Amino acid sequence: MAMARSSSSLAYPERFYAAASYVGFNGSSSDITSVTSKFKNDVAVLLYGLYHQATIGPCNIPKPRSWSPVELSKWTSWHGLGNMADTEAMRLFVKILEEEDPTWYSRVPEFFIEPVVDVEMNVSDIKNPDMKSLTQNGDSLPESKTITTENGMSLETQDKDVVLEGIGSVDVYDQWVAPVLSGQRPKSRYEHGAAVVQDKMYIFGGNHNGRYLNDIQVLDLRSLAWSKVEVKSEPLESSSPTPLAPCAGHSLVPWDNKLLSVAGHTKNPSESVAVKAFDLQTGTWSTLKTYGKAPASRGGQSVTRVGTSLVMFGGEDAKRTLLNDLHILDLESLTWDDVDAVGVPPSPRSDHVAAVHAERYLLIFGGGSHATCFSDLHVLDMQTMEWSKPTQKGELPTPRAGHAGATVGENWFIVGGGDNKSGVSETIVLNMSTLVWSVLTTVQGRVPMASEGLSIVLSSCNGEDVLVSFGGYNGRYSNEVNVLKPSRKSATQSKITEDNPMPESVAPQQNGTSVTRGSEYDHEAGTEGKVREIVMDNADMEHTGSKETSEHYIAALKSEKEELEAEISKEKLQSLQLKQELVEAETRNTDITKELQSVRGQLASEQSRCFKLEVDVAELRQKLQTMETLQKELELLQRQKAASEQAALNAKQRQSSGGVWSWLAGSPQDQKADDA
């Protein structure tokens, strides 16, 4: 036996401890010092919190009293993780490290990594790869008979008379199988786009180690050979070639021998959603010029083709704001329409799935916000543009985000996803006519089918439907392909009439009556099913001479049906009364809204008047301050004037008094002169 180990396949928790050792955590309290030397401060602090959450658990130490910003940041990072599970902290730790340093594993000291056997390969398998048996959830399946063609390609057969090729060689139903592929596999990724055109699965873009991709890979579903599509630079007739930026979280839709890439996260996002078209004949990209008001740019949205239109719902914009808006793009006129549907829409979310039933009903399931994942189901009637939240039945699914879905007839197959704790291992099926959930199969272990951000597409071979999955992320990035062939029991094609394409249990329902309405239509559906069974039994009984017994059953069933119809009439009357009450409540709500708008208008007017008064008061205060300054200057001038006048008066008085004394002093002298 020869052993081969992939650099990204070290199992947890060993992979986490290898990553922690590489980062520099060795159990001491000063771990953050060595970490900050390799990463930015915010990344180092986050890794510190995740490491302690994984190795110790939730933070129970008190907030540090010291004013050291480093100690406070460490405590805040750890304490902010709350009760996060240690396994989830380990995965997030490794994921952040891979985004910051994709080549970290190759530089981990060899003495730390214990020998791990991830893949066992038989020497004979290496020499004869075409003879490798298929695997089913990790277990080997019985080998089919192999026939070698002239070009050396081997085809597996179910028997000596029937030759099946590609995905048609899978002879196991309702189980995920990993087929043997040839050619160079694409780079592992998640959040990519996938679409099938003429028995070929095209993969575009995605996220690998935190880096966006823009390559186009194609898997021939008949030869099961991978190849890369070379993008040419020749201009198209209608537009010039556009270098397409790497992206992830976009939607890939086949249309008119083109692949349409709608929305998605990019390094430098635009303000609005862009629609890119890849021409499969010329091998060139172009940006389609759309009209109307384009939606804000986003990623993680759902884009569903309904006839000649694309229906977009939700997603997350470049500022990480979650959305729940609804937009429709007409592919013929390339015009966007911002739809304002009635009813209660799904809460803002991203990474959900959507499907259309009977070309009329849009179903939204699951998805996530920044804090939680959802398991709710919402239905939009695209004729009335009304949202509803019908009652789900059967084995109700758990919350999840990042899952993928594909429809086969009236059945909606949903695979993968996660709930911020672990990947979802079940493949579930929703019958869109009855809204009954069931679990089709469950995979074991950390396999690609229990991943987030994987893709799933529908193809067909020899008249049978086949689901094909690719990629995903469950602690490591995947580039594996798995196929599932639904059995007739799990994927029965629905026969839907144009007059009643969907049971009323899926149609929009008024609040408070959904359970009753759902039950009454269950009775109708059950009654119709019994009628069909009795008719079939009647045909058989006619051949065996039991026609009288059959007529007896039909009469009893008709009587039961009449009773049920009477009950349904009562329920419809009650529903009508509730609708009337709802209309009255909406009228009152409209009046209150108008009154509120009037009050808001008055308030705005008063606020404007108050603002003007505040401006006037400010001006008056400024003038008052100016007057006080002038008053002080006036008083100073008056004092100066008074002092000047007083000084002049004193001078005058001194001059006057000086002349008198001179006269008085001069008189005796004159007298003596006279005497002489």
Side-chain angles (χ1 to χ4, degrees):
M1 299 290 289
M3 304 297 180
R5 182 176 62 83
S6 172
S7 63
S8 61
S9 59
L10 185 63
Y12 285 88
E14 289 79 8
R15 183 170 177 80
F16 163 73
Y17 289 115
S21 174
Y22 171 76
V23 169
F25 288 107
N26 53 19
S28 65
S29 59
S30 60
D31 290 336
I32 194 69
T33 304
S34 60
V35 179
T36 53
S37 63
K38 297 182 179 179
F39 305 97
K40 296 179 181 179
N41 291 337
D42 55 344
V43 176
V45 171
L46 180 57
L47 290 174
Y48 172 89
L50 290 171
Y51 173 80
H52 284 74
Q53 186 80 9
T55 56
I56 300 176
C59 179
N60 295 321
I61 62 175
K63 185 176 181 179
R65 297 183 179 180
S66 63
W67 290 98
S68 171
V70 175
E71 294 299 325
L72 184 60
S73 299
K74 290 163 58 178
W75 181 88
T76 303
S77 175
W78 185 10
H79 186 267
L81 298 177
N83 294 322
M84 178 185 290
D86 55 351
T87 55
E88 181 64 18
M90 290 181 182
R91 285 194 293 270
L92 288 177
F93 184 97
V94 175
K95 183 178 180 180
I96 293 173
L97 176 58
E98 289 177 345
E99 292 176 352
E100 295 293 326
D101 188 355
T103 61
W104 70 272
Y105 190 90
S106 62
R107 296 198 294 272
V108 176
E110 293 293 338
F111 64 84
F112 182 84
I113 304 177
E114 298 293 337
V116 179
V117 179
D118 292 329
V119 181
E120 292 190 0
M121 303 169 112
N122 194 296
V123 177
S124 61
D125 294 337
I126 299 176
K127 295 180 180 179
N128 300 288
D130 293 334
M131 295 295 292
K132 188 185 297 182
S133 62
L134 303 179
T135 59
Q136 173 185 341
N137 301 336
D139 299 329
S140 60
L141 297 174
E143 295 183 354
S144 303
K145 184 177 180 180
T146 303
I147 300 177
T148 304
T149 61
E150 295 179 359
N151 59 4
M153 182 181 300
S154 61
L155 302 176
E156 295 182 354
T157 65
Q158 292 176 323
D159 55 60
K160 62 181 180 179
D161 297 325
V162 181
V163 177
L164 300 178
E165 56 182 349
I167 55 176
S169 62
V170 178
D171 56 359
V172 179
Y173 289 92
D174 296 337
Q175 296 291 337
W176 287 104
V177 175
V180 179
L181 308 177
S182 61
Q184 183 176 359
R185 292 195 178 192
K187 183 178 293 185
S188 56
R189 66 193 71 196
Y190 79 123
E191 292 184 340
H192 51 277
V196 171
V197 179
Q198 297 179 352
D199 296 327
K200 293 183 179 180
M201 180 178 69
Y202 292 86
I203 302 296
F204 168 64
N207 189 327
H208 175 80
N209 285 342
R211 290 171 174 79
Y212 298 149
L213 308 173
N214 66 347
D215 58 332
I216 302 179
Q217 307 284 341
V218 58
L219 175 65
D220 190 315
L221 297 177
R222 292 193 176 275
S223 64
L224 293 180
W226 278 110
S227 61
K228 183 178 180 180
V229 178
E230 297 297 333
V231 179
K232 301 178 182 179
S233 58
E234 289 81 0
L236 295 176
E237 296 179 358
S238 58
S239 59
S240 59
T242 302
L244 197 64
C247 62
H250 51 287
S251 301
L252 196 64
V253 182
W255 172 254
D256 194 21
N257 204 31
K258 294 182 177 65
L259 296 176
L260 303 182
S261 176
V262 185
H265 295 300
T266 58
K267 185 177 181 180
N268 298 312
S270 59
E271 294 183 358
S272 58
V273 166
V275 181
K276 311 283 187 177
F278 182 76
D279 193 306
L280 295 174
Q281 292 182 346
T282 62
T284 54
W285 280 106
S286 63
T287 301
L288 299 183
K289 182 179 180 181
T290 60
Y291 304 91
K293 185 179 180 181
S297 63
R298 66 194 65 197
Q301 71 293 322
S302 62
V303 175
T304 310
R305 185 162 70 89
V306 183
T308 59
S309 299
L310 297 182
V311 183
M312 173 188 290
F313 173 78
E316 182 183 32
D317 65 13
K319 298 180 181 179
R320 296 200 66 196
T321 301
L322 294 169
L323 307 170
N324 66 342
D325 51 349
L326 187 66
H327 303 269
I328 296 179
L329 175 64
D330 189 318
L331 293 175
E332 295 181 341
S333 63
L334 293 178
T335 302
W336 283 104
D337 184 15
D338 185 4
V339 180
D340 187 14
V342 298
V344 181
S347 59
R349 65 190 64 198
S350 65
D351 299 327
H352 53 278
V353 291
V356 63
H357 178 57
E359 294 293 313
R360 173 178 175 179
Y361 301 96
L362 179 71
L363 286 76
I364 303 292
F365 169 71
S369 64
H370 298 314
T372 186
C373 296
F374 306 113
S375 61
D376 49 354
L377 178 67
H378 298 263
V379 177
L380 174 68
D381 188 333
M382 289 184 292
Q383 287 188 2
T384 62
M385 283 301 168
E386 181 177 2
W387 285 107
S388 65
K389 188 177 181 181
T391 302
Q392 305 178 62
K393 307 162 194 173
E395 302 179 59
L396 299 183
T398 57
R400 67 198 65 194
H403 44 295
T407 59
V408 180
E410 63 180 8
N411 292 308
W412 191 11
F413 292 79
I414 295 176
V415 185
D419 58 358
N420 291 329
K421 295 181 181 179
S422 61
V424 179
S425 59
E426 299 88 6
T427 297
I428 56 178
V429 183
L430 174 67
N431 186 298
M432 294 183 289
S433 293
T434 62
L435 294 183
V436 176
W437 288 100
S438 59
V439 176
L440 178 63
T441 184
T442 302
V443 295
Q444 303 295 331
R446 299 181 62 84
V447 296
M449 301 312 304
S451 299
E452 296 183 20
L454 76 167
S455 64
I456 181 173
V457 295
L458 174 64
S459 182
S460 62
C461 185
N462 298 323
E464 292 186 300
D465 296 314
V466 181
L467 301 177
V468 185
S469 75
F470 172 77
Y473 178 84
N474 60 358
R476 61 182 180 183
Y477 298 90
S478 171
N479 63 350
E480 296 186 22
V481 174
N482 288 272
V483 298
L484 181 144
K485 184 181 293 185
S487 63
R488 294 182 179 180
K489 179 180 179 181
S490 64
T492 303
Q493 298 291 333
S494 60
K495 297 180 180 179
I496 305 171
T497 62
E498 295 181 358
D499 296 334
N500 186 21
M502 196 173 195
E504 292 294 332
S505 60
V506 184
Q509 303 171 1
Q510 302 295 340
N511 294 335
T513 63
S514 60
V515 176
T516 304
R517 289 172 61 92
S519 61
E520 72 187 32
Y521 286 108
D522 287 345
H523 288 306
E524 287 185 342
T527 302
E528 292 175 358
K530 291 180 180 179
V531 169
R532 287 193 295 269
E533 291 178 4
I534 294 299
V535 171
M536 294 295 293
D537 292 341
N538 185 27
D540 295 335
M541 291 177 181
E542 286 180 351
H543 293 290
T544 58
S546 303
K547 185 175 181 180
E548 295 180 357
T549 305
S550 173
E551 292 177 350
H552 173 73
Y553 283 131
I554 292 176
L557 188 57
K558 286 183 177 180
S559 176
E560 182 181 357
K561 182 178 180 181
E562 291 175 356
E563 295 177 359
L564 292 175
E565 288 177 347
E567 294 179 2
I568 291 173
S569 299
K570 294 180 182 179
E571 295 294 340
K572 288 183 178 179
L573 179 61
Q574 182 181 1
S575 176
L576 184 61
Q577 294 175 352
L578 291 174
K579 286 183 179 179
Q580 185 175 0
E581 293 178 1
L582 179 61
V583 171
E584 295 175 355
E586 290 178 348
T587 303
R588 291 195 299 270
N589 185 34
T590 302
D591 296 338
I592 294 174
T593 302
K594 291 181 180 179
E595 184 178 355
L596 178 60
Q597 292 176 349
S598 176
V599 172
R600 287 177 175 173
Q602 296 176 4
L603 178 60
S605 177
E606 291 296 327
Q607 287 177 343
S608 177
R609 193 168 67 87
C610 289
F611 178 76
K612 293 180 179 179
L613 290 175
E614 289 177 355
V615 173
D616 294 340
V617 170
E619 292 178 352
L620 290 175
R621 285 179 178 175
Q622 186 176 4
K623 291 180 180 180
L624 181 59
Q625 291 178 354
T626 304
M627 291 180 63
E628 291 178 353
T629 303
L630 293 174
Q631 181 67 29
K632 290 181 181 179
E633 293 178 356
L634 178 61
E635 291 177 356
L636 178 60
L637 292 173
Q638 288 177 348
R639 287 196 297 270
Q640 291 177 352
K641 182 180 179 182
S644 177
E645 290 176 351
Q646 184 65 35
L649 180 61
N650 292 339
K652 186 176 181 181
Q653 288 178 354
R654 284 196 299 271
Q655 183 179 4
S656 176
S657 60
V660 173
W661 285 105
S662 299
W663 179 77
L664 291 176
S667 294
Q669 296 177 357
D670 294 339
Q671 187 176 5
K672 289 181 180 181
D674 292 339
D675 291 343

